[in-house]
Amino acid sequence: MSLAFLNKKSWHTATIRVRSNDDIRSHNAERVWKAEQKQKAEQRKIEQLLKEKEEERQIEELRRLQAASGLNIKTHGDRVDWMYEGVHAQGPTSEEYLLGKKFEGNLDGEKDDVLKIEQDGAAGSMFINKKVNEEMEERARLREDPLVAIMHREQAARAKILNNPVEMEK
């Protein structure tokens, strides 16, 4: 087995191109200095990220205090919430929804829209009727449910065994 590949490794003595001990020391010192500089740069980056995170936390805390005191100053600089305000703004927020807060709003406008669609016979109006939709859903569940498919396969296998007298003896 040939060990010729070892002389291509960075730690192999043949790859060091330094001739004297002073050169070796300076070469090692340079490598140490580069490693220290790299570590210092990484430390500065981490400190900068921590500082930015702390600033963001303080800004969020100030906004929370303003909202608690009644000063509702809206800034849309770094948020996209304004895009979703409008029709959906009257409903509960995601936090309220997750906490289970009851929705107390006016749904009359939505009911009027549904009635208008039903009367006009617009596309999709047949799906408004819950009875038709529930029947179709039940059929789809039975047709597409993997557990029901497995059960049908097991029943078919049992029926095949029961109908075959040779298999019944086993």
Side-chain angles (χ1 to χ4, degrees):
M1 183 170 167
S2 174
L3 300 176
F5 68 92
L6 290 176
N7 66 352
K8 297 178 182 175
K9 300 295 181 183
S10 63
W11 44 263
H12 194 269
T13 55
T15 59
I16 298 176
R17 297 186 182 168
V18 181
R19 294 196 176 129
S20 67
N21 285 338
D22 292 334
D23 291 339
I24 292 173
R25 285 188 206 116
S26 65
H27 181 68
N28 287 339
E30 181 182 352
R31 289 172 55 190
V32 168
W33 180 80
K34 285 181 180 179
E36 288 174 351
Q37 293 301 316
K38 188 175 181 181
Q39 186 177 13
K40 286 179 185 178
E42 187 174 337
Q43 187 65 29
R44 281 193 301 264
K45 186 185 282 187
I46 290 172
E47 288 173 2
Q48 179 68 22
L49 289 174
L50 289 175
K51 188 185 294 183
E52 288 175 5
K53 188 175 181 180
E54 180 64 24
E55 288 174 1
E56 288 175 4
R57 190 195 62 75
Q58 288 176 353
I59 290 170
E60 185 63 33
E61 184 65 27
L62 287 174
R63 286 183 184 162
R64 201 174 300 125
L65 288 173
Q66 285 177 345
S69 67
L71 295 174
N72 196 0
I73 301 171
K74 292 190 176 188
T75 57
H76 300 296
D78 59 339
R79 296 191 182 258
V80 293
D81 294 341
W82 58 272
M83 290 172 41
Y84 302 104
E85 289 178 1
V87 177
H88 301 291
Q90 59 186 327
T93 63
S94 59
E95 186 174 329
E96 292 170 346
Y97 178 76
L98 291 173
L99 291 174
K101 184 176 179 182
K102 187 174 181 180
F103 176 68
E104 298 172 0
N106 185 8
L107 295 176
D108 293 336
E110 292 179 16
K111 289 179 183 175
D112 293 340
D113 292 342
V114 170
L115 290 174
K116 184 179 176 184
I117 290 173
E118 270 184 351
Q119 291 171 356
D120 291 346
S125 63
M126 67 180 258
F127 296 108
I128 293 174
N129 187 356
K130 294 284 185 190
K131 217 176 217 183
V132 172
N133 199 10
E134 288 176 9
E135 291 172 9
M136 290 176 17
E137 287 290 326
E138 185 64 29
R139 289 180 189 154
R141 268 191 236 116
L142 291 174
R143 184 177 56 246
E144 297 172 1
D145 189 13
L147 292 175
V148 173
I150 291 170
M151 188 173 66
H152 285 302
R153 276 189 245 132
E154 288 176 354
Q155 288 174 351
R158 281 191 198 116
K160 183 179 178 183
I161 291 172
L162 290 174
N163 291 336
N164 190 349
V166 176
E167 290 289 327
M168 279 296 290
E169 291 177 9
K170 292 181 183 178

